[in-house]
Every structure is written in C-alpha cells, then in structure tokens.
Amino acid sequence: MSTPTVVTTREELRSALDQLSGRLGLVMTMGALHEGHLSLIREAKKHADHVMVTVFVNPTQFAPGEDFETYPRNLDADVKAVERVGADLIFAPSPEEVYPNGDAQVTIDPGPTAKVLEGKTRPTHFAGVCLVVHKMFNITGADVAVFGQKDAQQLAIVRQMVRDLDMPIEIIGAPIVRAEDGLALSSRNTYLSEAERQQALSLSQALKAGKEAASQGATAAQVKEQASTVLENQNVRIDYVELVDPVSFESIESGEGVLAIAAYVGDTRLIDNAIVEVQGA
Ligand code: AMP
C-alpha cells in the first residue's frame, strides 16, 4: 500500500496536487480514523485515479459547549490507518489555514433540511458543515467526494448544496460500517466506558426492532415506538427517534424512509440510522 504524502498548508497541498493527474477523489474526515472512514477511501478509489483525505476538526460545525476541544486528535495514527488502504494525499490543516481571514462573512444557508433532527439540537451545525465542505471542494478541486450514510442528514444536505449551487463535483454515499456487535463505528465511541459501550448497542438494536416491526406491517408511529422502547429499556436518553424522507428529512407516515436515532449514552451523543420501508396505516 502506498504511503500518503501528508501536507498541512494550502501551498503544500497545491504542489502535491500538481503532481497528480486524472480524476481526484476526496474523503473528508475529522480524524480518529476507523474502518468506517477507511471504507469511504476504498469507495473513493473505485471512482477516482487519486484519492485525498482531509483530517480536520472543523470549528465552525461545533457550537459552544460541544466537544471541539476534547475531540480525539492523533494524526500519526490517522496516517498509519490511511496507509493500510492506500491514498495519495492527506491534508491536515490548522483552523487558521482553513479560515485565514477569521470568521467567514459569506456563508451558506443549508435550508430547511438543516432545521430538523440534528439541526434542532445543533442549529448552527450544518451551516458549518456546508461552509467547510464547500471550501474543501474549492481548495482541492476534487471531481468526486464520498460521504458516509452514518451521517445521513449531512449526506442529504451536501447533495442538495451541490445540486442547488451547481457545484462541479459528484457525491457518492457509502453504507454504515458497524462493529460485529452492531455498534456503528464512530470516533466518539472512544468516549464510552465499557458499560456505556454495552448500553450504546441499544441504538442499532432499536433500529433492528423498528425494521422488524415495519416488515410485519407496523405503522410509522408503531415503528418509532418499538425503537424508542429498546432505547428506554437501556436507560439511554433519547434526543429523537424519527422516520423521515431520505431527501427532505421531513417526517413520513409511509414508504421508504430513514429511521434516524440520536441518543445520549452517559454524556456522549450518538447517532445511527437505517433505511426502513413502512406500509402505512
Ligand atoms: P467524521 O470524521 O465523523 O466527520 O466522518 C467523516 C466521514 O466518515 C463522514 O462522511 C461520515 O459519514 C463517515 N463515517 C463516519 N462513521 C462512519 C461509519 N461507521 N460508516 C461509514 N461512514 C462513516
């Protein structure tokens, strides 16, 4: 597997990109890389001649009081992880490199999809995501970018931004990678104690219960109820359990939807989701 070139400034990035020709694939991450991230790199390699990975904990998508300061950072480990799958380039800039002029004055309004679910609890989150995603698209000139279905609402909003603003880039979604016991891989799982990790299994179990209920003809309300009960039985504090349209993220009563969960395991907020087909009442 090839050792990636690691760059931290725009200038270094530009000269590294100048060495590459053909289609460029982009995988954006906040580091603390796990198999979920590596699956995106593998997917990107199928769609591009060269793949670059960004490792950047983006301050603008965190609100005060969230975990920006404590978010796990270990570039050496990330470089080793990327080496295992092979990518050409890692861009690991500082916040000052990405935001050299301080706060951006021109920003992106991610629209109504950003106001529900994650956006209700984290009202400034998706504007920060869109800002950094748009900047990285421009800085890298990537032809294709891969995002995980783990952050289904983020993927939907990025797709919408690209469509609405005619950004010249192809967006690919990649499936959720889980541990053997079902827990969706997440950098934030490192916050969990052993006991909390067991409790956290209730998220994927809740999705499974919801999916099973749906396959037996349950209504949307019953599907959400089933899923919520599994979480409540594990004393996991629910932020939301919703069945939403995969594009608009508006609540739906029937059809193919995303069953989306956010819940607190101890102090750690985790999200997970699954595609569910509900017959309707
Ligand atoms: P993050 O570093 O958490 O911001 O995630 C960077 C990218 O990796 C996003 O597109 C995520 O959706 C994706 N990702 C994170 N966890 C997983 C997972 N378990 N399976 C697939 N993709 C993931």
Side-chain angles (χ1 to χ4, degrees):
M1 286 297 161
S2 63
T3 302
T5 305
V6 182
V7 297
T8 57
T9 67
R10 288 165 186 255
E11 217 176 304
E12 288 169 344
L13 175 65
R14 191 45 39 214
S15 35
L17 287 174
D18 284 347
Q19 309 297 311
L20 307 178
S21 57
R23 225 168 122 78
L24 179 67
L26 172 66
V27 173
M28 291 185 61
T29 81
M30 298 205 298
L33 300 185
H34 50 64
E35 271 303 316
H37 297 114
L38 302 188
S39 76
L40 305 190
I41 299 174
R42 286 191 197 96
E43 185 63 30
K45 289 171 83 165
K46 294 184 200 158
H47 302 271
D49 302 301
H50 298 285
V51 172
M52 68 165 289
V53 179
T54 61
V55 174
F56 179 57
V57 185
N58 171 41
T60 63
Q61 69 191 69
F62 289 79
E66 291 186 346
D67 56 347
F68 173 71
E69 278 85 12
T70 53
Y71 198 85
R73 292 167 171 87
N74 186 343
L75 184 58
D76 289 345
D78 290 340
V79 174
K80 289 205 174 76
V82 172
E83 267 172 17
R84 296 212 302 273
V85 285
D88 298 83
L89 196 54
I90 296 178
F91 182 40
S94 66
E96 295 72 32
E97 194 66 31
V98 177
Y99 299 102
N101 310 313
D103 289 346
Q105 301 298 304
V106 177
T107 55
I108 295 174
D109 175 355
T113 313
K115 294 200 165 66
V116 296
L117 304 191
E118 285 303 287
K120 250 195 194 144
T121 305
R122 310 182 71 192
T124 57
H125 175 64
F126 288 117
V129 168
C130 286
L131 183 61
V132 78
V133 168
H134 189 7
K135 282 168 80 75
M136 289 300 186
F137 286 177
N138 284 344
I139 291 169
T140 63
D143 300 286
V144 55
V146 182
F147 290 84
Q149 176 68 20
K150 164 76 169 36
D151 298 272
Q153 195 173 2
Q154 167 175 280
L155 173 59
I157 290 170
V158 168
R159 282 191 198 283
Q160 203 152 3
M161 172 176 78
V162 164
R163 248 195 335 264
D164 287 353
L165 301 183
D166 295 304
M167 294 180 176
I169 188 163
E170 184 188 349
I171 304 299
I172 308 250
I176 301 176
V177 176
R178 299 177 179 280
E180 251 173 48
D181 56 12
L183 182 68
L185 299 188
S186 163
S187 305
R188 289 191 169 99
N189 291 348
T190 57
Y191 298 153
L192 302 173
S193 68
E194 195 43 50
E196 287 172 339
R197 199 186 173 289
Q198 286 306 309
Q199 267 184 300
L201 294 181
S202 60
L203 275 83
S204 56
Q205 287 162 355
L207 293 171
K208 210 168 151 206
K211 226 174 149 71
E212 257 165 42
S215 71
Q216 287 162 17
T219 62
Q222 288 164 338
V223 166
K224 290 186 271 186
E225 180 75 39
Q226 285 285 338
S228 301
T229 304
V230 173
L231 295 165
E232 281 156 9
N233 287 344
Q234 284 299 316
N235 294 320
V236 166
R237 185 158 63 86
I238 296 171
D239 185 354
Y240 59 75
V241 173
E242 288 293 344
L243 183 71
V244 295
D245 178 85
V247 176
S248 70
F249 272 69
E250 282 172 19
S251 280
I252 57 167
E253 294 300 325
S254 64
E256 187 178 86
V258 178
L259 181 59
I261 294 176
Y264 293 88
V265 179
D267 292 333
T268 304
R269 187 171 181 280
L270 298 176
I271 59 171
D272 200 352
N273 70 85
I275 303 293
V276 171
E277 175 84 34
V278 174
Q279 305 296 319

